[in-house]
Amino acid sequence: MTAKPLVAGNWKMNPAAANFTELASAIADEIDKIDGVVKVLCPPTVALREVATVLEGRDVLVGAQDGHPEPSGAYTGEVAMGMLGQICSHVIVGHSERRALFGETDHVVAQKAVAAIANGLSPIVCVGESLDIRDAGDAIKFVHDQIVGSLTGVDNPSSVVIGYEPVWAIGTGVSARPDVAGEMAESIRNTLMDLYGDEAALAIPILYGGSVSPENIGPYIDRPHINGALVGGASLKPNDFGQIVSLVASIRG
Ligand code: 13P
């Protein structure tokens, strides 16, 4: 079984004007009818319910950008995976911005992935190397270790999605060369095969993320182990996001 193509839009802390309903419905109008690709919008936490309402009856899912592994308790400002599970189908864990700005380690990311799965959510587990690590020739080993560390305790990976986002390509306009991303995706696939066996590993979608646009998405999706995209900036532009989903569908769907 090969992984089902998936495109997720990570809105991050956007849009500033908080017109969530307008944005979600404009995007849904673009992508609702595109078959063969799982489509997920990940708005800020405050907008999850609103966006879920807009997407009711449409073929577009809602994802959170993070969640806390504990079921409840004194964690001011946090939202539990169980709470998110009532609204969302997916949750991003271990995004490089959370790792860099909020000190998240592989250990924490793994706890989040385990809690997400326990609450019926598909975790989109993000990994990716910095430019220093790539320049030192250590990217493959670094990402291998991130995958192993971030999936510790995940016994059944059937709902897991992997997001490979090289840190140097995020929000910079400098996307990774498709052969570079393809080589990393193949290495990630091999790591997943070692962890879970061939059949389970082949069913796990591996997404490329980092300055994805309608102009550059094609060659990524042509790579055998890249099954979709994790899109930041372009996911805030309904037409661009629509074109990305449609290109993924035409190549992979
Ligand atoms: P950009 O597409 O804006 O580079 O962001 C990528 C990303 O971080 C998605 O999670």
Side-chain angles (χ1 to χ4, degrees):
M1 187 177 127
T2 53
K4 183 137 200 238
L6 188 152
V7 177
N10 176 9
W11 292 7
K12 309 191 181 185
M13 202 167 74
N14 296 300
N19 50 350
F20 303 116
T21 293
E22 208 178 298
L23 180 59
S25 68
I27 294 173
D29 287 346
E30 295 283 340
I31 64 177
D32 190 21
K33 298 283 186 291
I34 303 172
D35 291 329
V37 181
V38 177
K39 299 153 276 184
V40 189
L41 304 187
C42 304
T45 311
V46 71
L48 286 171
R49 204 174 278 286
E50 178 180 338
V51 169
T53 304
V54 171
L55 298 179
E56 245 168 46
R58 305 242 200 173
D59 185 21
V60 186
L61 301 169
V62 188
Q65 298 175 13
D66 187 33
H68 197 279
E70 291 298 327
S72 62
Y75 300 98
T76 301
E78 293 293 312
V79 179
M81 293 293 180
M83 298 168 181
L84 297 171
Q86 296 171 23
I87 308 175
C88 307
S89 58
H90 290 71
V91 58
I92 298 170
V93 295
H95 191 280
S96 67
E97 285 150 18
R98 298 226 45 99
R99 291 176 185 265
L101 303 173
F102 303 97
E104 285 188 16
T105 59
D106 288 340
H107 177 69
V108 170
V109 176
Q111 288 180 323
K112 292 183 174 193
V114 168
I117 293 167
N119 286 286
L121 290 157
S122 288
I124 302 175
V125 180
C126 294
V127 293
E129 79 286 356
S130 65
L131 197 52
D132 285 354
I133 292 169
R134 175 151 292 277
D135 287 348
D138 295 333
I140 295 273
K141 161 123 186 38
F142 180 82
V143 170
H144 166 87
D145 292 349
Q146 272 191 323
I147 292 275
V148 173
S150 303
L151 292 176
T152 300
V154 173
D155 301 325
N156 178 354
S158 60
S159 68
V160 168
V161 177
I162 302 293
Y164 168 58
E165 301 201 305
V167 175
W168 44 273
I170 295 177
T172 57
V174 183
S175 53
R177 277 201 343 248
D179 59 313
V180 167
E183 180 194 34
M184 184 62 83
E186 186 175 353
S187 167
I188 291 171
R189 186 78 68 198
N190 288 334
T191 304
L192 295 171
M193 284 175 167
D194 289 345
L195 290 174
Y196 300 112
D198 292 7
E199 198 182 336
L202 285 167
I204 298 174
I206 299 175
L207 316 181
Y208 168 74
S211 299
V212 167
S213 70
E215 289 73 34
N216 67 20
I217 184 66
Y220 294 111
I221 303 302
D222 275 335
R223 298 278 148 178
H225 293 287
I226 299 180
N227 308 105
L230 184 49
V231 186
S235 75
L236 298 164
K237 300 176 189 153
N239 192 268
D240 283 12
F241 194 64
Q243 284 186 55
I244 291 167
V245 173
S246 150
L247 285 161
V248 172
S250 67
I251 298 168
R252 279 264 168 190

